[in-house]
């Protein structure tokens, strides 16, 4: 049975990926032979630019694990990454045609499988792309899946997502994902660093998040995050800062059911 494509937010653009290839759980094997030389060249140039920018801006765990992505002059094979990743934390990455719905997404995370879009942006989108592509998935998300505490947090998030779905609270939980897994900052002995994948895979946002005096940087507060809307097409106005992945794990460990109930009566906050 063919699955339904998913578009980003309220976008009217057609979905990018070929959802006819996807199985019922939305995964599809990475078609490595289908990448063109131009695709590999785009990856190589993106990697080279970003690998230079993350020095002094990405958290220590990211810098340490980045070489585990392997090849940097061609799009790596997911199986090659999985050999190292499954040994390190029991996670694996699986190909998907693009964005997938909440329940299949949470289910994959709950079983320690991280969905990575398998296509790459066009050269015209080199500097900015709204949807996640294979560069965002690999460069942005995979290195931290090598960190044991962060890896456990991602699985807990998947399980929490399935629960939020039953409670009608997905919107609140997706904000938590946005402001941590995608756009989170961490305070390390060496200074403020990024751990969010949306920051780490974006040249402009990385400098904005770490160096610009403009954005607000506040300590992670779960209820505030869950009330705060977010922007998908500009740099963030607010970043939430943690001191360690253990803090993230511990702050998200309590049962969110009473929080979801409390939030029902409260107004949303602007980004
Ligand atoms: N503790 C959350 C709950 O009870 C689950 C969760 C864990 C959510 C980790 C996000 C991250 O719903
Ligand atoms: Fe992402």
């Amino acid at each position: 049975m063919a699955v339904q494509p998913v578009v980003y937010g309220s976008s009217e653009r057609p979905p990018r990926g070929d959802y006819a290839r996807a199985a019922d759980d939305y995964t599809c094997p990475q078609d490595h032979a289908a990448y063109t030389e131009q695709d590999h060249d785009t990856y190589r140039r993106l990697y080279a630019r970003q690998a230079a920018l993350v020095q002094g801006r990405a958290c220590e765990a990211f810098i340490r694990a980045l070489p585990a992505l392997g090849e940097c002059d061609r799009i790596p094979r997911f199986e090659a990454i999985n050999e190292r990743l499954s040994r390190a934390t029991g996670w694996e990455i699986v190909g998907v045609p693009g964005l997938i719905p909440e329940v299949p997404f949470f289910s994959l995370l709950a079983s320690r499988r991280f969905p990575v879009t398998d296509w790459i942006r066009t050269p015209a989108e080199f500097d900015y792309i709204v949807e996640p592509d294979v560069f965002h998935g690999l460069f942005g998300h995979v290195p931290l899946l090598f960190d044991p505490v962060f890896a456990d947090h991602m699985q807990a998030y998947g399980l929490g997502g399935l629960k939020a779905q039953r409670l009608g609270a997905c919107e609140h939980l997706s904000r938590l994902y946005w402001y941590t897994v995608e756009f989170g900052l961490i305070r390390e002995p060496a200074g403020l660093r990024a751990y969010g994948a949306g920051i780490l895979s974006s040249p402009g946002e990385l400098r904005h998040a770490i160096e610009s005096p403009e954005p607000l940087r506040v300590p992670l507060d779960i209820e505030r995050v869950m009330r705060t809307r977010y922007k998908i097409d500009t740099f963030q106005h607010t970043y939430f800062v943690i001191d360690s992945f253990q803090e993230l794990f511990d702050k998200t460990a309590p049962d969110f059911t009473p929080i979801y109930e409390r939030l029902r009566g409260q107004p949303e906050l602007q980004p």
Side-chain angles (χ1 to χ4, degrees):
M1 191 198 74
V3 292
Q4 288 302 307
V6 180
V7 292
Y8 215 141
S10 54
S11 168
E12 277 167 20
R13 279 178 303 158
R16 288 280 287 271
D18 175 10
Y19 286 77
R21 289 165 50 225
D24 286 354
D25 67 355
Y26 277 87
T27 64
C28 59
Q30 180 193 29
D31 189 357
H32 199 267
Y35 295 130
T36 64
E37 280 312 308
Q38 185 184 72
D39 291 338
H40 288 300
D41 187 60
T42 299
Y43 184 88
R44 179 186 61 75
R45 293 186 299 124
L46 285 166
Y47 189 105
R49 174 173 69 179
Q50 213 61 17
L53 279 171
V54 292
Q55 300 306 323
R57 298 189 180 91
C59 65
E60 208 202 308
F62 178 92
I63 299 288
R64 212 181 321 118
L66 188 58
L69 283 184
E71 285 182 288
C72 49
D73 52 355
R74 299 181 72 71
I75 301 170
R77 288 180 189 277
F78 291 0
E79 302 109 78
I81 292 174
N82 282 340
E83 280 174 29
R84 299 182 281 271
L85 182 57
S86 59
R87 234 183 297 128
T89 56
W91 272 80
E92 61 175 352
I93 52 174
V94 289
V96 284
L99 291 167
I100 68 174
E102 282 158 350
V103 170
F105 178 68
F106 295 142
S107 303
L108 288 173
L109 297 184
S111 60
R112 291 175 100 87
R113 286 180 294 164
F114 191 85
V116 175
T117 298
D118 69 346
W119 52 262
I120 193 156
R121 68 194 74 183
T122 65
E125 296 163 312
F126 190 74
D127 289 318
Y128 190 79
I129 180 168
V130 176
E131 308 100 314
D133 69 345
V134 69
F135 180 73
H136 168 77
L138 295 183
F139 193 96
H141 287 284
V142 171
L144 283 187
L145 293 174
F146 280 83
D147 182 272
V149 177
F150 193 83
D152 285 351
H153 169 258
M154 289 298 288
Q155 180 178 25
Y157 182 89
L159 292 163
L162 293 170
K163 178 169 134 189
Q165 215 273 330
R166 292 192 296 273
L167 298 171
C170 281
E171 171 117 28
H172 294 310
L173 197 67
S174 66
R175 290 177 185 158
L176 179 66
Y177 189 90
W178 186 266
Y179 284 114
T180 58
V181 177
E182 294 292 352
F183 290 97
L185 297 180
I186 183 166
R187 179 90 46 203
E188 296 195 325
L192 189 66
R193 297 289 185 266
Y195 72 90
I199 306 179
L200 292 166
S201 65
S202 156
E205 184 120 13
L206 192 47
R207 281 177 290 210
H208 175 77
I210 304 296
E211 280 130 35
S212 168
E214 280 165 33
L216 232 50
R217 298 180 184 86
V218 297
L220 178 64
D221 169 336
I222 301 295
E223 292 203 33
R224 174 165 173 180
V225 167
M226 287 189 180
R227 290 175 62 194
T228 308
R229 297 165 55 98
Y230 57 80
K231 298 185 165 278
I232 66 166
D233 56 359
T234 63
F235 294 160
Q236 302 304 305
H237 296 231
T238 304
Y239 296 98
F240 291 89
V241 186
I242 57 174
D243 287 321
S244 67
F245 294 134
Q246 193 61 47
E247 177 190 343
L248 178 61
F249 190 87
D250 293 344
K251 281 189 171 167
T252 52
D255 182 6
F256 285 175
T257 310
I259 301 186
Y260 295 148
E261 267 157 30
R262 238 185 342 266
L263 291 178
R264 246 178 265 282
Q266 289 185 13
E268 292 179 324
L269 302 175
Q270 291 310 305

